[in-house]
Amino acid sequence: GRSSFSITPQANNGIINLPLSDKFKRFSLSNLIDEYFNSTQDTSADETMQIEHTVPQSYLFGLVTINKIIKERVIVAKRDLVLQEAKLAFLPRNLFFNIGRYRKNPDVTIPFNLRMDKKYFEDKNSGNYTLQGFTRNLNEVHYISYIKRNGIWFLCDDNNVHAISEAEAKNAVKQAYVLHYK
């Protein structure tokens, strides 16, 4: 079976939460997005049927034979996976992704330019997005942000804000928690 539902910005506060699934050995934003919008749910279930049959049984050294009715439940079919398909109601101006790095901290391949295909949207539009900023965690309580303004990347660490190279931003984004695309 296939179930489908629509996501509006109000339903998830405009942030798409992408957990790091054990399904992948290497993580990329495109894999996480595909998994979010088209995830398989493990809902295996057995369909059973009750069957009755007669079995002759002998008693008293085989002198007396009676028929015994046996009822059995037999698995006749097995349903394994259900595809759950999510769609955004419309093509938003801004996209925010939260990568769930709760116990895992692997590098994630994150593009600076992201194409969101029409399969993700109810209105069948598609869009090209550019990474405008991201946040990463340096330790349990210290977060830093990276913001792109007028083509220049800036590192924002408390009161310390300074320009960085695009190469530095590309390296840092691998550990991002929150991504902002426009």
Side-chain angles (χ1 to χ4, degrees), residues 6-159:
S6 177
I7 302 169
T8 60
Q10 295 81 18
N12 64 2
N13 298 322
I15 296 176
I16 298 171
N17 293 306
L18 304 173
L20 292 177
S21 167
D22 291 330
K23 182 177 181 178
F24 305 108
K25 297 221 186 304
R26 288 184 150 175
F27 296 96
S28 71
L29 184 61
S30 60
N31 285 346
L32 298 175
I33 290 170
D34 281 342
E35 177 73 10
Y36 176 83
F37 283 100
N38 296 296
S39 65
T40 51
Q41 310 298 316
D42 185 6
T43 57
S44 59
D46 296 332
E47 290 183 25
T48 61
M49 186 166 79
Q50 186 165 324
I51 298 176
E52 290 183 12
H53 56 93
T54 306
V55 176
Q57 291 188 337
S58 300
Y59 293 98
L60 297 173
F61 305 105
L63 298 175
V64 177
T65 301
I66 61 168
N67 290 326
K68 186 173 183 182
I69 297 174
I70 297 177
K71 296 179 180 181
E72 296 178 304
R73 283 209 169 284
V74 177
I75 297 172
V76 294
K78 191 174 200 86
R79 288 178 283 135
D80 285 325
L81 297 173
V82 173
L83 180 67
Q84 183 172 328
E85 184 179 74
K87 291 186 183 286
L88 291 172
F90 58 89
L91 187 69
R93 182 179 170 107
N94 294 283
L95 279 174
F96 295 90
F97 296 103
N98 178 31
I99 299 175
R101 297 180 173 276
Y102 306 110
R103 288 186 199 101
K104 302 176 191 174
N105 237 359
D107 284 353
V108 177
T109 303
I110 297 174
F112 276 29
N113 296 303
L114 176 67
R115 170 125 178 102
M116 290 293 287
D117 194 59
K118 64 183 180 181
K119 68 183 179 181
Y120 300 127
F121 302 99
E122 289 275 329
D123 63 5
K124 303 292 186 212
N125 280 321
S126 61
N128 294 315
Y129 290 88
T130 302
L131 186 64
Q132 295 299 302
F134 60 93
T135 302
R136 65 181 278 220
N137 181 269
L138 293 182
N139 58 40
E140 288 184 22
V141 295
H142 192 79
Y143 289 84
I144 58 175
S145 295
Y146 297 77
I147 299 169
K148 188 175 185 180
R149 292 288 181 254
N150 300 323
I152 300 169
W153 280 98
F154 291 91
L155 168 60
C156 306
D157 184 359
D158 294 331
N159 292 331

Side-chain angles (χ1 to χ4, degrees), residues 112 131 134 146 153 164-174:
F112 276 29
L131 186 64
F134 60 93
Y146 297 77
W153 280 98
I164 61 170
S165 70
E166 188 164 312
E168 289 175 281
K170 283 186 177 182
N171 189 48
V173 77
K174 296 175 189 175

